């Protein structure tokens, strides 16, 4: 079992920044990849970024275009997603997820957090 708890969501104006955090507990040794996904109203859940637990290799969705940064703190068992230059279209529920293999697909992740709302005003 792996437990994931997101925090840091909120309301921010366009162009602003926000940092999301994911606290990981449980069988962390079973985690190969930590990922962030988001889901806007009426849209499918989409991959945002991922980082491997051991080597810290990162993968970003094309739409990120350098605006977001994923990082990890192994000592604290946390994964963060720094959101910069936010746009209204970034508005979504952001989910933290863990999986046993590398991947950018939703199906590659077997544990999910509750999600945290990010709202970007124009």
């Amino acid at each position: 079992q792996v437990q994931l708890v997101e925090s840091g969501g909120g309301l921010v104006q366009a162009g602003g920044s926000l940092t999301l955090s994911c606290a990981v507990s449980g069988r962390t040794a079973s985690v190969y990849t930590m990922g962030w996904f988001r889901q806007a109203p009426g849209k499918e859940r989409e991959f945002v970024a991922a980082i491997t637990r051991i080597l810290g290799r990162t993968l970003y969705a094309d739409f990120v275009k350098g605006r977001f940064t994923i990082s990890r703190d192994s000592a604290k068992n946390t994964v963060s997603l720094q959101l910069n230059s936010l746009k209204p279209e970034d508005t979504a529920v952001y989910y933290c997820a863990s999986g046993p293999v590398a991947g950018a697909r939703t199906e590659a992740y077997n544990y999910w957090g509750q999600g945290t709302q990010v709202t970007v005003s124009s």
Side-chain angles (χ1 to χ4, degrees), residues 63-97:
F63 69 79
V64 170
K65 296 183 179 180
R67 295 185 300 123
F68 302 167
T69 302
I70 189 170
S71 62
R72 79 203 198 285
D73 187 332
S74 298
K76 297 181 179 179
N77 278 335
T78 59
V79 178
S80 298
L81 183 68
Q82 184 175 341
L83 311 174
N84 297 321
S85 301
L86 285 164
K87 306 173 182 179
E89 52 263 43
D90 293 320
T91 295
V93 176
Y94 284 71
Y95 296 91
C96 179

Side-chain angles (χ1 to χ4, degrees), residues 1 5-8 17 22 27 29 31 38-40 45-46 54 71-72 74 78 80 86-87 89 92 96 103 115 119:
Q1 294 287 332
V5 180
E6 303 97 332
S7 62
S17 299
C22 176
R27 291 175 53 84
V31 176
R38 70 184 188 183
Q39 187 166 21
R45 188 170 299 185
E46 64 180 346
I54 302 300
S71 62
R72 79 203 198 285
S74 298
T78 59
S80 298
L86 285 164
K87 306 173 182 179
E89 52 263 43
C96 179
T119 303

